[in-house]
Amino acid sequence: MDAKAEGLYTELRNTRQEILERLMEGNSSALIKPILLEELHDIEQTLSKIESGNFGKCEISGELLPENLLEMIPTLKSLEDCSRLEKFYRKSIFH
């Protein structure tokens, strides 16, 4: 594992721990708990990908995901996820 992957791995493990602590406190609202559980699942999958050497690859095609997006959202799973994100970055030409 290179230094960049190790840094990301450590950061994701810390985030996983924070989410687990938040869930164990039991004071999360019923609306937030499913979101925390989903994020926890995504983090676990990403940690497994880093460990197996598959991090950064599209789960559907196997192609590499854009590195700049992975730096912002390391839990991205597919090129389709990336294209959905790009829609949010576009500025409307109508005001």
Side-chain angles (χ1 to χ4, degrees):
M1 193 179 313
D2 65 13
K4 192 173 187 178
E6 279 187 41
L8 177 61
Y9 190 80
T10 300
E11 185 177 332
L12 286 169
R13 285 180 50 146
N14 290 339
T15 302
R16 176 181 63 183
Q17 187 61 37
E18 289 172 16
I19 292 172
L20 286 170
E21 288 171 7
R22 179 87 185 257
L23 288 168
M24 286 182 199
E25 289 172 0
N27 58 4
S28 296
S29 77
L31 297 173
I32 297 296
K33 190 173 181 178
I35 295 168
L36 290 173
L37 289 169
E38 185 176 337
E39 186 65 19
L40 182 62
H41 177 73
D42 288 346
I43 289 170
E44 292 288 347
Q45 284 185 320
T46 303
L47 288 169
S48 293
K49 287 178 188 178
I50 293 171
E51 291 167 357
S52 68
N54 290 317
F55 175 72
K57 295 178 184 174
C58 175
E59 291 182 358
I60 298 167
S61 69
E63 293 179 61
L64 293 178
L65 299 173
E67 198 170 317
N68 62 330
L69 290 179
L70 283 170
E71 288 177 9
M72 291 185 288
I73 308 169
T75 56
L76 286 173
K77 297 177 182 183
S78 68
L79 290 169
E80 185 177 317
D81 290 345
C82 295
S83 67
R84 280 192 224 133
L85 285 174
E86 289 174 1
K87 291 178 186 176
F88 292 105
Y89 294 132
R90 293 191 181 124
K91 183 176 180 181
S92 172
I93 58 172
F94 301 103
H95 294 355

